[in-house]
Amino acid sequence: MRKRRLRGAPVAQHGRLRSPHPLLQALSLVGVAALVGIASAAGVVGFHVWDAAATIGGNSVEIGNEGDPALPPGLGEIEGGVNLLLVGTDACEGQDVALFPRCGMDDDGGERNDVTMLVHISDEPRRVTVVSFPRDTYVPIAECQNADGDTVGGGTEKINASYMYGGLPCTVRTVEELTGEDIQFAAAIRWTGVINLSDAVGGVDVCVQGDISDRHTGLVLTAGTHTLQGVQALQFLRIRHGIGDGSDLGRISNQQQFMSSLVRKMQSDAVLGDAGKLLNFANVAMTQVREKQLVLDKQLANPTRMAQIAMALKDVPFEDIVFVQYPAAYSGDGLVPISGAADALFAALRENRPLQLTGEASGGFGVEVTGEVPDTAAPDPAATAPAPAATEGGEALPPNAAVELPSSISGQNASQVTCTVPQS
């Protein structure tokens, strides 16, 4: 077996159009789980459940989590905490060339994870934290096996090279080694999958403070609120040049606005209360698996398990659904991790502490807070007891004490309504 090591120079080129896309990969999980939820309420769709299991099981990959215990057959929410890695890749395979005319141009032949998000679902009380890793962040790439059986990795590259070297398992291992977290489940989605899933959910409301006309993505929006789906949703999730500071950090802030709005919609009666919409959405997700636009790991490729994960999310208060950027600072042509801030974030997650963001929601990268929405979830007494902010000094924190995150960690929670700021 040959062993190749990565060069220190970055592999990916970032000036082309086919760069990062969405985090609508979150939709894939909810969509597949919705199929089972509907089946539990109406037995008439039992065939769809069987078909879903056969489809996703035959198109799944191993990520090294095969030792996890089997889950019981019931449809109650999953027990304990969960770490789920969601990846959006930039592959041209299976894409509509009419929609992506630049696909394949300046292509070095690799498929990259241009969107990488770790979804952390805590044990009781339930909290959800979504950590977005900027694609230009230099990190140690884990040693992985590629399709030829060669061992690659072991060097430092931008994080979006990990998928190119070893697919979804390599990205999982890279994030595990970077964060110290064990990842139980993983999924990856391509552009066409995002378009079709956003159509199925009926669109997501977003706000822009001024007119946007971006030649890089083709997105054209007037100031105000818009309901985006299909290609337009994908363009919004990919845009960076026309918003905020024009950086990938601004793009992540923009994506977090989309995700917050998506969460609010998925918890509302507009989607979760409509069996017809959910069934249609789930069937679209199954189609994306068949067409190789959606990849699941073998442990996630189980309808019961997906339903259990989804059920753990349905009643989480908006303020406890937090979207953050992995802390990193610019250095040369990329970013480097801010280790101290990252350690503080993941320590708070392991202790299941409420997170308190400092300053503006986006840290000035791409969006501004314009308001808040009332929470629809019933409050959990254990989670809503008075919670003083944690202080430095090494003393034990009171129960449920909130952790004030370092200012280098930007983000927002799902209760905050934000609006994208056009680049000046």
Side-chain angles (χ1 to χ4, degrees), residues 114-147:
D114 274 335
V115 172
T116 306
M117 298 187 304
L118 179 63
V119 181
H120 175 85
I121 306 171
S122 72
D123 199 356
E124 299 296 339
R126 294 290 192 188
R127 297 186 176 94
V128 179
T129 306
V130 181
V131 183
S132 293
F133 296 83
R135 64 178 183 135
D136 290 339
T137 306
Y138 281 99
V139 302
I141 304 296
E143 290 194 347
C144 311
Q145 279 197 337
N146 63 16

Side-chain angles (χ1 to χ4, degrees), residues 336-360:
V336 294
I338 303 176
S339 299
D343 291 344
L345 169 63
F346 288 101
L349 297 185
R350 294 182 194 111
E351 295 173 3
N352 195 12
R353 301 285 183 178
L355 301 182
Q356 182 176 323
L357 293 164
T358 58
E360 293 293 329

Side-chain angles (χ1 to χ4, degrees), residues 288-299:
Q288 303 318 299
V289 175
R290 292 187 185 97
E291 295 181 354
K292 310 297 185 183
Q293 297 301 306
L294 174 61
V295 177
L296 304 174
D297 82 82
K298 288 188 179 298
Q299 294 296 319

Side-chain angles (χ1 to χ4, degrees), residues 28 44-45 49 77 85 100 102 113 149 155 172 183 219 277 286 295 308 312 314 343-344 352 361 379:
S28 63
V44 295
V45 295
V49 177
E77 65 182 62
L85 191 72
F100 307 106
R102 291 185 59 83
N113 49 301
V172 168
I183 296 173
L219 180 66
K277 288 182 179 179
M286 291 301 95
V295 177
Q308 290 175 323
K314 61 184 176 63
D343 291 344
N352 195 12

Side-chain angles (χ1 to χ4, degrees), residues 396-414:
L397 297 174
N400 200 46
V403 171
E404 185 175 283
L405 295 177
S407 59
S408 56
I409 299 178
S410 63
Q412 70 174 89
N413 64 54

Side-chain angles (χ1 to χ4, degrees), residues 50-80:
W50 176 86
D51 187 49
T55 297
I56 59 184
N59 293 305
S60 57
V61 298
E62 295 182 358
I63 63 170
N65 58 354
E66 288 68 43
D68 292 345
L71 294 178
L75 280 173
E77 65 182 62
I78 194 168
E79 296 181 358

